[in-house]
Amino acid sequence: MKKNLFIALFLLSVTVTFAQTKPKQTPAEKAPAQQDMQDMMKEAQKMMDGLSPEMKKMMENSGMKVPDMKTVGNKTSGVTDGQLQKAMEDENRLVPVKDMARISAISKTALSEASLPVFLTSVHSKVISQLKPEAKQKGEEIYQMIKKEYSTDVATGNTAASLWMLGKAELAIYMMGKVCVDNPSNSNNLSNYASMLSMSGAEQLAIPILDNLNKRFPENSTILNNLGQAWFGLGDIEKAEKYIDNVIRIYAYHPQANITKSYIEESKGHKAEAVEAMKKSVKHAYTPEKEDRLRKMGYKLQGKDVPWPFKINPDPLGLSAFRHPKFPASVDESIVLEEDWAQFKRECTSEITKLNFQFKQAEEFSIREDEKRKKEAMDEVKNAITGKNTTGSVTILPFFSQKAILKLEEKNADKDGSTKFKYIRAVEDLTDYVKSRAIVQQTYEIEIKKLNEREDDQLGQGMANKDFCPQKKDLANVFLVTYNPGLQQKWDEFLKITRQQISDDAYWSQYVLWPDQFEVKKINLKISYLGALKDASYKSITSFECNPIPIEPKVSKLGEFDDMHCEYHSNFTCPVGSIRIDCSRMTTELDLKILKLGLKQDMNKETFGDQYMSCSVELSAATGVGFNMGPLKAEVSAGVGARAEFDRNGLRDFILKASAGISAGTDVMDGASMLGVGAGDLSIDANVTGQISILSGKSSVEGGGMLEGVNKL
């Protein structure tokens, strides 16, 4: 995080406020002229004047003087309307302007096996001229350490790709260039280097390398995507679209090709096509940025749109083990089941009491943990403001939370077929049944009253004293068999959908909440289900014990909850460290050897988002998928693998892949690659034998990037 993070956030609030007072203009509309700019400055000054003394003092203590917008306005008075117009066009542009100078700089002569090493040496020389001295020094130290320890170009290339994943862009591109110069035959390293060049603003240097690879590995979707993204960055949209369309033909849900396709379609005015392309990108790799783009285009992302690549446990708490006793269908059953039901309700009450005690303890612990998280986040912000070192490890939300929320929203949506809809219907059915049986109960009570009157009339000395118990029992039996079996069916339907609703809530909450918060939620859900079970009610008549029919009592025992715990674990290791994901938690750790070299989480002040828009990374743990077969393809997985999806904020999605031999265009994430419950452990070791392939993301339409200076050489 940068020291001026606070300023950026503050200026963002100024921009948002101004945007609410002035509608955003389209590229076809004229940009704000000087008077508009002055009006904007006046609006901003009002916000500055409205800052509290505490806020001003906080900014000044952090070395940030509260800006005087009058002074700023004077400095901008020399800006021409033409410059303002261009700035507005850049802001609203969907695709880059065609850069003929850089396109012309691309050699018309294809790289050969002989000319490739010379070209790579030249490119590497240009690249390192743009890097910070400390990045070159640290990159060389890491390069030498990895070469000494592993002695393979695969391990060195994987190290560079891993540094890229961790946001260490300058170190990554230095090391990848170095290993490609040392061994130009590793096709996967070449592809990754070209991808880094393209996403850093040097697309014209990436294209010759990618053209060479495309001839050697035709129909490789990763190479084709990277070519399409490079041409897009240069503004040759027609050529870019040909490559992008070819990628989508091979793999309909390609995560990066579809993003770029979406922007191209929108630039043509094809909004529906733009939305559809972005939905396809989300289908196999989600990021909040994609969701935000869809929202801006008028589409609300739904749970069915996002990937969830492992099987969902339908009963994570083991609620199906809890069953109430039978509803009595006769007087004799009422007598026999009376104690069974009493014992069942006592056990429910006892278990609820214990859970309430556990709930209180868990809630107190969660409150303390929440305070710790808030303090860590505030410390991180304060350190960023004051320029102190930041840990880079504070995560605001659990890793999979936004995807899980979408899934849970879909379950709870008030629409036909949703869990919430079924629950409401079950409550209504239960209520309607009780209402419909009112006439049955009324009839029974009237007939019993008549028998009681007849019995009273013939009781006493000299009277018949006839026993009416058998007749009353027969009436009661008819009433109970007419009332209770149907009532039990309605209660069981209600409890079934209640189990489903609670189970859905429990399953998705383990990804939405932090572990301590989830423990509170889990206990509360158990209490809710036991309460629903305990509330089950029926009609019981035990007063007519004449002519008993022997019935074997069925003693009911309360079930036991399953010990619900995280079943999804993935671990990616490489020479520089590891990334581990356990349901809601993501942990990034740097290797001790790297730490000793001085590489810290916050070593590079340029954040991941300063380099490029987004990218995907294909990971494989399998041996035999080496560089001679080209980069990993997004549409297939040789053995066990995964996909990591990045946006400006770093790693946002991690997709398990466990399929092989999938044909072109197959919907791999919805088919054979889904992992079953208990099979969610995935470990990818990229130290020596694993493979990492980078899929370029859409370039910034304004140009620039880490290697922007190369274009001026």
PDB file of all heavy atoms in Angstrom, residues 18 22-40 79-93:
ATOM      1  N   PHE A  18     -18.918  14.831  -6.816  1.00  0.00           N
ATOM      2  CA  PHE A  18     -19.096  15.668  -7.994  1.00  0.00           C
ATOM      3  C   PHE A  18     -19.874  14.930  -9.072  1.00  0.00           C
ATOM      4  O   PHE A  18     -20.724  15.494  -9.746  1.00  0.00           O
ATOM      5  CB  PHE A  18     -17.736  16.113  -8.543  1.00  0.00           C
ATOM      6  CG  PHE A  18     -17.867  17.051  -9.727  1.00  0.00           C
ATOM      7  CD1 PHE A  18     -18.186  18.386  -9.525  1.00  0.00           C
ATOM      8  CD2 PHE A  18     -17.695  16.589 -11.018  1.00  0.00           C
ATOM      9  CE1 PHE A  18     -18.315  19.248 -10.603  1.00  0.00           C
ATOM     10  CE2 PHE A  18     -17.828  17.455 -12.095  1.00  0.00           C
ATOM     11  CZ  PHE A  18     -18.137  18.789 -11.885  1.00  0.00           C
ATOM     12  N   LYS A  22     -23.138  16.091 -11.434  1.00  0.00           N
ATOM     13  CA  LYS A  22     -23.032  16.254 -12.886  1.00  0.00           C
ATOM     14  C   LYS A  22     -23.079  14.886 -13.544  1.00  0.00           C
ATOM     15  O   LYS A  22     -22.282  14.023 -13.217  1.00  0.00           O
ATOM     16  CB  LYS A  22     -21.709  16.951 -13.254  1.00  0.00           C
ATOM     17  CG  LYS A  22     -21.710  18.432 -12.915  1.00  0.00           C
ATOM     18  CD  LYS A  22     -20.415  19.081 -13.390  1.00  0.00           C
ATOM     19  CE  LYS A  22     -20.432  20.569 -13.148  1.00  0.00           C
ATOM     20  NZ  LYS A  22     -21.366  21.256 -14.021  1.00  0.00           N
ATOM     21  N   PRO A  23     -23.980  14.633 -14.478  1.00  0.00           N
ATOM     22  CA  PRO A  23     -24.051  13.335 -15.132  1.00  0.00           C
ATOM     23  C   PRO A  23     -22.792  13.070 -15.946  1.00  0.00           C
ATOM     24  O   PRO A  23     -22.237  13.974 -16.545  1.00  0.00           O
ATOM     25  CB  PRO A  23     -25.288  13.451 -16.047  1.00  0.00           C
ATOM     26  CG  PRO A  23     -25.464  14.922 -16.259  1.00  0.00           C
ATOM     27  CD  PRO A  23     -24.988  15.582 -15.003  1.00  0.00           C
ATOM     28  N   LYS A  24     -22.369  11.792 -15.947  1.00  0.00           N
ATOM     29  CA  LYS A  24     -21.183  11.412 -16.706  1.00  0.00           C
ATOM     30  C   LYS A  24     -21.454  11.534 -18.198  1.00  0.00           C
ATOM     31  O   LYS A  24     -22.481  11.092 -18.694  1.00  0.00           O
ATOM     32  CB  LYS A  24     -20.803   9.966 -16.361  1.00  0.00           C
ATOM     33  CG  LYS A  24     -19.474   9.537 -16.951  1.00  0.00           C
ATOM     34  CD  LYS A  24     -19.118   8.155 -16.450  1.00  0.00           C
ATOM     35  CE  LYS A  24     -17.781   7.715 -16.998  1.00  0.00           C
ATOM     36  NZ  LYS A  24     -17.410   6.364 -16.548  1.00  0.00           N
ATOM     37  N   GLN A  25     -20.487  12.157 -18.902  1.00  0.00           N
ATOM     38  CA  GLN A  25     -20.670  12.367 -20.326  1.00  0.00           C
ATOM     39  C   GLN A  25     -20.146  11.187 -21.121  1.00  0.00           C
ATOM     40  O   GLN A  25     -19.218  10.506 -20.712  1.00  0.00           O
ATOM     41  CB  GLN A  25     -19.923  13.645 -20.761  1.00  0.00           C
ATOM     42  CG  GLN A  25     -20.532  14.923 -20.168  1.00  0.00           C
ATOM     43  CD  GLN A  25     -19.685  16.132 -20.496  1.00  0.00           C
ATOM     44  OE1 GLN A  25     -18.538  16.219 -20.097  1.00  0.00           O
ATOM     45  NE2 GLN A  25     -20.260  17.051 -21.241  1.00  0.00           N
ATOM     46  N   THR A  26     -20.737  10.983 -22.264  1.00  0.00           N
ATOM     47  CA  THR A  26     -20.282   9.940 -23.168  1.00  0.00           C
ATOM     48  C   THR A  26     -19.151  10.499 -24.017  1.00  0.00           C
ATOM     49  O   THR A  26     -18.941  11.712 -24.079  1.00  0.00           O
ATOM     50  CB  THR A  26     -21.426   9.481 -24.087  1.00  0.00           C
ATOM     51  OG1 THR A  26     -21.797  10.588 -24.922  1.00  0.00           O
ATOM     52  CG2 THR A  26     -22.626   9.048 -23.258  1.00  0.00           C
ATOM     53  N   PRO A  27     -18.363   9.635 -24.698  1.00  0.00           N
ATOM     54  CA  PRO A  27     -17.275  10.127 -25.541  1.00  0.00           C
ATOM     55  C   PRO A  27     -17.755  11.109 -26.597  1.00  0.00           C
ATOM     56  O   PRO A  27     -17.003  11.972 -27.046  1.00  0.00           O
ATOM     57  CB  PRO A  27     -16.728   8.842 -26.166  1.00  0.00           C
ATOM     58  CG  PRO A  27     -17.095   7.778 -25.203  1.00  0.00           C
ATOM     59  CD  PRO A  27     -18.417   8.188 -24.642  1.00  0.00           C
ATOM     60  N   ALA A  28     -19.019  10.968 -27.003  1.00  0.00           N
ATOM     61  CA  ALA A  28     -19.523  11.843 -28.064  1.00  0.00           C
ATOM     62  C   ALA A  28     -19.831  13.242 -27.550  1.00  0.00           C
ATOM     63  O   ALA A  28     -19.975  14.184 -28.317  1.00  0.00           O
ATOM     64  CB  ALA A  28     -20.779  11.236 -28.689  1.00  0.00           C
ATOM     65  N   GLU A  29     -19.952  13.382 -26.213  1.00  0.00           N
ATOM     66  CA  GLU A  29     -20.267  14.676 -25.646  1.00  0.00           C
ATOM     67  C   GLU A  29     -18.993  15.457 -25.362  1.00  0.00           C
ATOM     68  O   GLU A  29     -17.943  14.873 -25.102  1.00  0.00           O
ATOM     69  CB  GLU A  29     -21.069  14.490 -24.352  1.00  0.00           C
ATOM     70  CG  GLU A  29     -22.423  13.862 -24.596  1.00  0.00           C
ATOM     71  CD  GLU A  29     -23.130  13.586 -23.289  1.00  0.00           C
ATOM     72  OE1 GLU A  29     -22.477  13.100 -22.358  1.00  0.00           O
ATOM     73  OE2 GLU A  29     -24.324  13.851 -23.220  1.00  0.00           O
ATOM     74  N   LYS A  30     -19.124  16.761 -25.334  1.00  0.00           N
ATOM     75  CA  LYS A  30     -17.961  17.602 -25.108  1.00  0.00           C
ATOM     76  C   LYS A  30     -17.530  17.495 -23.655  1.00  0.00           C
ATOM     77  O   LYS A  30     -18.337  17.500 -22.750  1.00  0.00           O
ATOM     78  CB  LYS A  30     -18.296  19.058 -25.462  1.00  0.00           C
ATOM     79  CG  LYS A  30     -17.131  20.021 -25.315  1.00  0.00           C
ATOM     80  CD  LYS A  30     -17.522  21.388 -25.845  1.00  0.00           C
ATOM     81  CE  LYS A  30     -16.467  22.433 -25.544  1.00  0.00           C
ATOM     82  NZ  LYS A  30     -15.161  22.098 -26.031  1.00  0.00           N
ATOM     83  N   ALA A  31     -16.216  17.424 -23.404  1.00  0.00           N
ATOM     84  CA  ALA A  31     -15.684  17.375 -22.054  1.00  0.00           C
ATOM     85  C   ALA A  31     -15.919  18.710 -21.368  1.00  0.00           C
ATOM     86  O   ALA A  31     -16.131  19.728 -22.020  1.00  0.00           O
ATOM     87  CB  ALA A  31     -14.193  17.056 -22.106  1.00  0.00           C
ATOM     88  N   PRO A  32     -15.849  18.748 -20.034  1.00  0.00           N
ATOM     89  CA  PRO A  32     -16.067  20.006 -19.332  1.00  0.00           C
ATOM     90  C   PRO A  32     -15.029  21.047 -19.713  1.00  0.00           C
ATOM     91  O   PRO A  32     -13.842  20.758 -19.765  1.00  0.00           O
ATOM     92  CB  PRO A  32     -15.948  19.599 -17.857  1.00  0.00           C
ATOM     93  CG  PRO A  32     -15.184  18.329 -17.854  1.00  0.00           C
ATOM     94  CD  PRO A  32     -15.559  17.639 -19.117  1.00  0.00           C
ATOM     95  N   ALA A  33     -15.477  22.236 -19.975  1.00  0.00           N
ATOM     96  CA  ALA A  33     -14.565  23.321 -20.335  1.00  0.00           C
ATOM     97  C   ALA A  33     -14.026  23.959 -19.063  1.00  0.00           C
ATOM     98  O   ALA A  33     -14.239  23.475 -17.964  1.00  0.00           O
ATOM     99  CB  ALA A  33     -15.309  24.342 -21.199  1.00  0.00           C
ATOM    100  N   GLN A  34     -13.312  25.090 -19.232  1.00  0.00           N
ATOM    101  CA  GLN A  34     -12.663  25.724 -18.091  1.00  0.00           C
ATOM    102  C   GLN A  34     -13.657  26.087 -16.994  1.00  0.00           C
ATOM    103  O   GLN A  34     -13.382  25.904 -15.818  1.00  0.00           O
ATOM    104  CB  GLN A  34     -11.919  26.978 -18.568  1.00  0.00           C
ATOM    105  CG  GLN A  34     -10.710  26.677 -19.448  1.00  0.00           C
ATOM    106  CD  GLN A  34      -9.627  25.928 -18.688  1.00  0.00           C
ATOM    107  OE1 GLN A  34      -9.548  26.034 -17.468  1.00  0.00           O
ATOM    108  NE2 GLN A  34      -8.824  25.168 -19.390  1.00  0.00           N
ATOM    109  N   GLN A  35     -14.839  26.611 -17.377  1.00  0.00           N
ATOM    110  CA  GLN A  35     -15.814  26.998 -16.370  1.00  0.00           C
ATOM    111  C   GLN A  35     -16.282  25.787 -15.565  1.00  0.00           C
ATOM    112  O   GLN A  35     -16.471  25.853 -14.349  1.00  0.00           O
ATOM    113  CB  GLN A  35     -17.014  27.681 -17.049  1.00  0.00           C
ATOM    114  CG  GLN A  35     -18.046  28.225 -16.044  1.00  0.00           C
ATOM    115  CD  GLN A  35     -17.432  29.221 -15.070  1.00  0.00           C
ATOM    116  OE1 GLN A  35     -16.710  30.134 -15.476  1.00  0.00           O
ATOM    117  NE2 GLN A  35     -17.694  29.036 -13.775  1.00  0.00           N
ATOM    118  N   ASP A  36     -16.462  24.657 -16.283  1.00  0.00           N
ATOM    119  CA  ASP A  36     -16.852  23.431 -15.591  1.00  0.00           C
ATOM    120  C   ASP A  36     -15.775  23.007 -14.601  1.00  0.00           C
ATOM    121  O   ASP A  36     -16.068  22.544 -13.494  1.00  0.00           O
ATOM    122  CB  ASP A  36     -17.091  22.298 -16.604  1.00  0.00           C
ATOM    123  CG  ASP A  36     -18.259  22.604 -17.520  1.00  0.00           C
ATOM    124  OD1 ASP A  36     -19.286  23.077 -17.015  1.00  0.00           O
ATOM    125  OD2 ASP A  36     -18.121  22.385 -18.729  1.00  0.00           O
ATOM    126  N   MET A  37     -14.505  23.142 -15.011  1.00  0.00           N
ATOM    127  CA  MET A  37     -13.406  22.777 -14.134  1.00  0.00           C
ATOM    128  C   MET A  37     -13.403  23.653 -12.887  1.00  0.00           C
ATOM    129  O   MET A  37     -13.183  23.179 -11.770  1.00  0.00           O
ATOM    130  CB  MET A  37     -12.071  22.902 -14.880  1.00  0.00           C
ATOM    131  CG  MET A  37     -10.856  22.514 -14.032  1.00  0.00           C
ATOM    132  SD  MET A  37     -10.911  20.788 -13.493  1.00  0.00           S
ATOM    133  CE  MET A  37     -10.539  19.972 -15.047  1.00  0.00           C
ATOM    134  N   GLN A  38     -13.637  24.946 -13.062  1.00  0.00           N
ATOM    135  CA  GLN A  38     -13.681  25.851 -11.918  1.00  0.00           C
ATOM    136  C   GLN A  38     -14.830  25.482 -10.979  1.00  0.00           C
ATOM    137  O   GLN A  38     -14.690  25.531  -9.753  1.00  0.00           O
ATOM    138  CB  GLN A  38     -13.833  27.308 -12.406  1.00  0.00           C
ATOM    139  CG  GLN A  38     -12.635  27.822 -13.204  1.00  0.00           C
ATOM    140  CD  GLN A  38     -11.340  27.758 -12.403  1.00  0.00           C
ATOM    141  OE1 GLN A  38     -11.338  28.031 -11.207  1.00  0.00           O
ATOM    142  NE2 GLN A  38     -10.256  27.400 -13.067  1.00  0.00           N
ATOM    143  N   ASP A  39     -15.977  25.130 -11.575  1.00  0.00           N
ATOM    144  CA  ASP A  39     -17.109  24.703 -10.757  1.00  0.00           C
ATOM    145  C   ASP A  39     -16.753  23.450  -9.947  1.00  0.00           C
ATOM    146  O   ASP A  39     -17.145  23.310  -8.785  1.00  0.00           O
ATOM    147  CB  ASP A  39     -18.327  24.411 -11.641  1.00  0.00           C
ATOM    148  CG  ASP A  39     -18.880  25.687 -12.282  1.00  0.00           C
ATOM    149  OD1 ASP A  39     -18.570  26.782 -11.774  1.00  0.00           O
ATOM    150  OD2 ASP A  39     -19.615  25.565 -13.284  1.00  0.00           O
ATOM    151  N   MET A  40     -16.015  22.530 -10.591  1.00  0.00           N
ATOM    152  CA  MET A  40     -15.594  21.310  -9.924  1.00  0.00           C
ATOM    153  C   MET A  40     -14.683  21.638  -8.734  1.00  0.00           C
ATOM    154  O   MET A  40     -14.807  21.067  -7.646  1.00  0.00           O
ATOM    155  CB  MET A  40     -14.858  20.384 -10.909  1.00  0.00           C
ATOM    156  CG  MET A  40     -14.474  19.038 -10.321  1.00  0.00           C
ATOM    157  SD  MET A  40     -13.450  18.054 -11.441  1.00  0.00           S
ATOM    158  CE  MET A  40     -14.573  17.833 -12.810  1.00  0.00           C
ATOM    159  N   VAL A  79      -4.689  24.563 -18.497  1.00  0.00           N
ATOM    160  CA  VAL A  79      -5.117  23.374 -19.237  1.00  0.00           C
ATOM    161  C   VAL A  79      -6.140  23.778 -20.280  1.00  0.00           C
ATOM    162  O   VAL A  79      -7.120  24.461 -19.986  1.00  0.00           O
ATOM    163  CB  VAL A  79      -5.730  22.335 -18.273  1.00  0.00           C
ATOM    164  CG1 VAL A  79      -6.183  21.112 -19.048  1.00  0.00           C
ATOM    165  CG2 VAL A  79      -4.726  21.947 -17.202  1.00  0.00           C
ATOM    166  N   THR A  80      -5.918  23.362 -21.508  1.00  0.00           N
ATOM    167  CA  THR A  80      -6.821  23.747 -22.599  1.00  0.00           C
ATOM    168  C   THR A  80      -8.052  22.866 -22.625  1.00  0.00           C
ATOM    169  O   THR A  80      -8.069  21.757 -22.065  1.00  0.00           O
ATOM    170  CB  THR A  80      -6.098  23.633 -23.949  1.00  0.00           C
ATOM    171  OG1 THR A  80      -5.827  22.246 -24.199  1.00  0.00           O
ATOM    172  CG2 THR A  80      -4.803  24.425 -23.955  1.00  0.00           C
ATOM    173  N   ASP A  81      -9.086  23.382 -23.292  1.00  0.00           N
ATOM    174  CA  ASP A  81     -10.300  22.580 -23.456  1.00  0.00           C
ATOM    175  C   ASP A  81     -10.004  21.308 -24.231  1.00  0.00           C
ATOM    176  O   ASP A  81     -10.615  20.265 -24.002  1.00  0.00           O
ATOM    177  CB  ASP A  81     -11.374  23.393 -24.182  1.00  0.00           C
ATOM    178  CG  ASP A  81     -11.991  24.454 -23.272  1.00  0.00           C
ATOM    179  OD1 ASP A  81     -11.678  24.434 -22.062  1.00  0.00           O
ATOM    180  OD2 ASP A  81     -12.763  25.287 -23.770  1.00  0.00           O
ATOM    181  N   GLY A  82      -9.056  21.393 -25.142  1.00  0.00           N
ATOM    182  CA  GLY A  82      -8.687  20.214 -25.927  1.00  0.00           C
ATOM    183  C   GLY A  82      -8.090  19.134 -25.046  1.00  0.00           C
ATOM    184  O   GLY A  82      -8.366  17.940 -25.226  1.00  0.00           O
ATOM    185  N   GLN A  83      -7.261  19.562 -24.086  1.00  0.00           N
ATOM    186  CA  GLN A  83      -6.667  18.593 -23.166  1.00  0.00           C
ATOM    187  C   GLN A  83      -7.732  17.977 -22.259  1.00  0.00           C
ATOM    188  O   GLN A  83      -7.695  16.782 -21.960  1.00  0.00           O
ATOM    189  CB  GLN A  83      -5.583  19.282 -22.327  1.00  0.00           C
ATOM    190  CG  GLN A  83      -4.334  19.632 -23.132  1.00  0.00           C
ATOM    191  CD  GLN A  83      -3.366  20.484 -22.332  1.00  0.00           C
ATOM    192  OE1 GLN A  83      -3.768  21.425 -21.652  1.00  0.00           O
ATOM    193  NE2 GLN A  83      -2.086  20.144 -22.417  1.00  0.00           N
ATOM    194  N   LEU A  84      -8.670  18.807 -21.826  1.00  0.00           N
ATOM    195  CA  LEU A  84      -9.765  18.289 -21.015  1.00  0.00           C
ATOM    196  C   LEU A  84     -10.625  17.311 -21.806  1.00  0.00           C
ATOM    197  O   LEU A  84     -11.087  16.292 -21.291  1.00  0.00           O
ATOM    198  CB  LEU A  84     -10.628  19.438 -20.503  1.00  0.00           C
ATOM    199  CG  LEU A  84      -9.981  20.378 -19.471  1.00  0.00           C
ATOM    200  CD1 LEU A  84     -10.915  21.531 -19.160  1.00  0.00           C
ATOM    201  CD2 LEU A  84      -9.641  19.621 -18.194  1.00  0.00           C
ATOM    202  N   GLN A  85     -10.837  17.644 -23.072  1.00  0.00           N
ATOM    203  CA  GLN A  85     -11.619  16.769 -23.943  1.00  0.00           C
ATOM    204  C   GLN A  85     -10.949  15.408 -24.074  1.00  0.00           C
ATOM    205  O   GLN A  85     -11.593  14.366 -23.980  1.00  0.00           O
ATOM    206  CB  GLN A  85     -11.779  17.415 -25.326  1.00  0.00           C
ATOM    207  CG  GLN A  85     -12.492  16.542 -26.356  1.00  0.00           C
ATOM    208  CD  GLN A  85     -13.976  16.393 -26.066  1.00  0.00           C
ATOM    209  OE1 GLN A  85     -14.566  17.257 -25.434  1.00  0.00           O
ATOM    210  NE2 GLN A  85     -14.551  15.286 -26.506  1.00  0.00           N
ATOM    211  N   LYS A  86      -9.626  15.412 -24.265  1.00  0.00           N
ATOM    212  CA  LYS A  86      -8.883  14.155 -24.406  1.00  0.00           C
ATOM    213  C   LYS A  86      -8.947  13.339 -23.113  1.00  0.00           C
ATOM    214  O   LYS A  86      -9.104  12.112 -23.142  1.00  0.00           O
ATOM    215  CB  LYS A  86      -7.418  14.423 -24.767  1.00  0.00           C
ATOM    216  CG  LYS A  86      -6.612  13.145 -24.999  1.00  0.00           C
ATOM    217  CD  LYS A  86      -5.179  13.462 -25.363  1.00  0.00           C
ATOM    218  CE  LYS A  86      -4.410  12.166 -25.660  1.00  0.00           C
ATOM    219  NZ  LYS A  86      -4.457  11.215 -24.539  1.00  0.00           N
ATOM    220  N   ALA A  87      -8.815  14.043 -21.967  1.00  0.00           N
ATOM    221  CA  ALA A  87      -8.875  13.346 -20.687  1.00  0.00           C
ATOM    222  C   ALA A  87     -10.228  12.665 -20.501  1.00  0.00           C
ATOM    223  O   ALA A  87     -10.314  11.537 -20.017  1.00  0.00           O
ATOM    224  CB  ALA A  87      -8.612  14.325 -19.548  1.00  0.00           C
ATOM    225  N   MET A  88     -11.288  13.356 -20.909  1.00  0.00           N
ATOM    226  CA  MET A  88     -12.626  12.783 -20.784  1.00  0.00           C
ATOM    227  C   MET A  88     -12.802  11.596 -21.723  1.00  0.00           C
ATOM    228  O   MET A  88     -13.411  10.582 -21.374  1.00  0.00           O
ATOM    229  CB  MET A  88     -13.689  13.854 -21.067  1.00  0.00           C
ATOM    230  CG  MET A  88     -15.117  13.351 -20.917  1.00  0.00           C
ATOM    231  SD  MET A  88     -15.495  12.749 -19.252  1.00  0.00           S
ATOM    232  CE  MET A  88     -15.498  14.305 -18.334  1.00  0.00           C
ATOM    233  N   GLU A  89     -12.262  11.708 -22.923  1.00  0.00           N
ATOM    234  CA  GLU A  89     -12.351  10.601 -23.877  1.00  0.00           C
ATOM    235  C   GLU A  89     -11.602   9.381 -23.352  1.00  0.00           C
ATOM    236  O   GLU A  89     -12.061   8.244 -23.502  1.00  0.00           O
ATOM    237  CB  GLU A  89     -11.784  11.038 -25.232  1.00  0.00           C
ATOM    238  CG  GLU A  89     -12.677  12.026 -25.985  1.00  0.00           C
ATOM    239  CD  GLU A  89     -12.021  12.528 -27.259  1.00  0.00           C
ATOM    240  OE1 GLU A  89     -10.840  12.196 -27.491  1.00  0.00           O
ATOM    241  OE2 GLU A  89     -12.689  13.255 -28.022  1.00  0.00           O
ATOM    242  N   ASP A  90     -10.426   9.613 -22.739  1.00  0.00           N
ATOM    243  CA  ASP A  90      -9.660   8.504 -22.172  1.00  0.00           C
ATOM    244  C   ASP A  90     -10.455   7.807 -21.066  1.00  0.00           C
ATOM    245  O   ASP A  90     -10.427   6.584 -20.946  1.00  0.00           O
ATOM    246  CB  ASP A  90      -8.325   9.007 -21.606  1.00  0.00           C
ATOM    247  CG  ASP A  90      -7.320   9.339 -22.717  1.00  0.00           C
ATOM    248  OD1 ASP A  90      -7.536   8.877 -23.854  1.00  0.00           O
ATOM    249  OD2 ASP A  90      -6.349  10.060 -22.439  1.00  0.00           O
ATOM    250  N   GLU A  91     -11.161   8.612 -20.276  1.00  0.00           N
ATOM    251  CA  GLU A  91     -11.923   8.053 -19.167  1.00  0.00           C
ATOM    252  C   GLU A  91     -13.058   7.168 -19.662  1.00  0.00           C
ATOM    253  O   GLU A  91     -13.381   6.152 -19.044  1.00  0.00           O
ATOM    254  CB  GLU A  91     -12.489   9.181 -18.303  1.00  0.00           C
ATOM    255  CG  GLU A  91     -13.292   8.671 -17.105  1.00  0.00           C
ATOM    256  CD  GLU A  91     -13.961   9.788 -16.334  1.00  0.00           C
ATOM    257  OE1 GLU A  91     -13.714  10.973 -16.650  1.00  0.00           O
ATOM    258  OE2 GLU A  91     -14.742   9.472 -15.428  1.00  0.00           O
ATOM    259  N   ASN A  92     -13.668   7.533 -20.766  1.00  0.00           N
ATOM    260  CA  ASN A  92     -14.839   6.804 -21.269  1.00  0.00           C
ATOM    261  C   ASN A  92     -14.502   5.774 -22.340  1.00  0.00           C
ATOM    262  O   ASN A  92     -15.388   5.058 -22.795  1.00  0.00           O
ATOM    263  CB  ASN A  92     -15.858   7.798 -21.840  1.00  0.00           C
ATOM    264  CG  ASN A  92     -16.509   8.641 -20.756  1.00  0.00           C
ATOM    265  OD1 ASN A  92     -17.424   8.202 -20.078  1.00  0.00           O
ATOM    266  ND2 ASN A  92     -16.014   9.853 -20.571  1.00  0.00           N
ATOM    267  N   ARG A  93     -13.240   5.706 -22.740  1.00  0.00           N
ATOM    268  CA  ARG A  93     -12.870   4.797 -23.829  1.00  0.00           C
ATOM    269  C   ARG A  93     -12.968   3.346 -23.374  1.00  0.00           C
ATOM    270  O   ARG A  93     -12.572   2.991 -22.275  1.00  0.00           O
ATOM    271  CB  ARG A  93     -11.447   5.114 -24.299  1.00  0.00           C
ATOM    272  CG  ARG A  93     -11.048   4.298 -25.539  1.00  0.00           C
ATOM    273  CD  ARG A  93      -9.671   4.689 -26.049  1.00  0.00           C
ATOM    274  NE  ARG A  93      -9.673   6.043 -26.585  1.00  0.00           N
ATOM    275  CZ  ARG A  93      -8.984   7.059 -26.090  1.00  0.00           C
ATOM    276  NH1 ARG A  93      -8.243   6.860 -25.004  1.00  0.00           N
ATOM    277  NH2 ARG A  93      -9.025   8.243 -26.640  1.00  0.00           N
TER     278      ARG A  93
END
